[in-house]
Every structure is written in structure tokens, then in C-alpha cells.
Amino acid sequence: MKKVIRILGVFLLMFFVVTTITSCSDDDDPANNDFFAGTYRGSVKYTDADNNISADDGSVFVTKIASGTKYNFAFSNGIPDLNGVEFQQQGDNTLVMVGSNATTYIRIDNNDLKILYLKDGKAWTANCTR
């Protein structure tokens, strides 16, 4: 009897571990989650009067902050972060920066991150995927 209980306990533990691991996937959608954190990898670039940083193997760590409509973008390779950028949902699974236009935009969904952000003589760009 003890052996059956032990085997059942191991089975339940394995089921719990597998369920937990598969529920934390890269398919999380930044548009539909109350809390979102994800890393996008690809080319990143930053320029200002003193710097010109570029990397084809960079990354951007995206987090949704408490307001529910604002996001932070933490870049790799010493590129300054973008914080508190406000978004609106466009379609089912896409977020677009409030105030986007042809020369300044950030677009994010569960697979892609596209950034062309110009502010105060500084420029951030990213073309990344998850």
C-alpha cells in the first residue's frame, strides 16, 4: 500500500511540474495579460550625440507596469531603457504606442517587437522576435 501511495505521489508531482513548465511559455500575449514580461531577441540600435550602439544579437526585456497601459523596455548592450511608454490595443493581439506616426512607433505582439522611437535627439530601434 505504501508503494502505491508513493508512486501516486510521484505521478502527481510530475504532473504538477509539467503543467507549471508548459503554462509559462513564450506564447503569452502582451495585449491580453494583466502582467507581462518577455524577452525579444534580434537587432537593436541606439544613437545620440555621443553614442552609436548597434548589435544584431541584442535583446529587449519588455514588462507591463501596474497602470495596465504602460510598458518598460530594457535594452541589452548598454542601450538606455525606455520607461512608461503608453500603448493602446490594435486588433486582437497587437499593441501600438499611443501617438505613433510614420517616424516614431513601437509595435508589439506575442511574436514580434518593432521600435523606431525618436526623442530629444536620441533614437532607439529594434527588430526582434520571441
Side-chain angles (χ1 to χ4, degrees), residues 111-123:
N111 295 321
D112 298 309
L113 171 65
K114 308 275 190 227
I115 298 176
L116 173 58
Y117 190 84
L118 309 172
K119 184 178 180 182
D120 301 328
K122 302 171 186 172

Side-chain angles (χ1 to χ4, degrees), residues 50-106:
D50 301 322
N51 296 302
N52 187 5
I53 304 169
S54 180
D56 288 334
D57 61 346
S59 65
V60 182
F61 183 67
V62 179
T63 54
K64 187 176 192 178
I65 57 178
S67 71
T69 60
K70 293 185 179 180
Y71 288 73
N72 292 337
F73 299 86
F75 289 80
S76 65
N77 303 84
I79 296 174
D81 299 342
L82 290 172
N83 294 316
V85 180
E86 190 167 2
F87 282 81
Q88 62 189 12
Q89 189 165 347
Q90 186 179 65
D92 290 337
N93 301 312
T94 302
L95 292 169
V96 177
M97 183 184 88
V98 172
S100 290
N101 57 45
T103 60
T104 298
Y105 67 89
I106 300 175

Side-chain angles (χ1 to χ4, degrees), residues 18-28:
V18 168
T19 303
T20 302
I21 289 172
T22 58
S23 67
C24 299
S25 70
D26 284 345
D27 293 334
D28 290 343

Side-chain angles (χ1 to χ4, degrees), residues 1-12:
M1 185 69 172
K2 288 182 182 182
K3 192 173 191 177
V4 171
I5 292 173
R6 184 177 295 158
I7 292 172
L8 183 61
V10 169
F11 175 74
L12 288 174

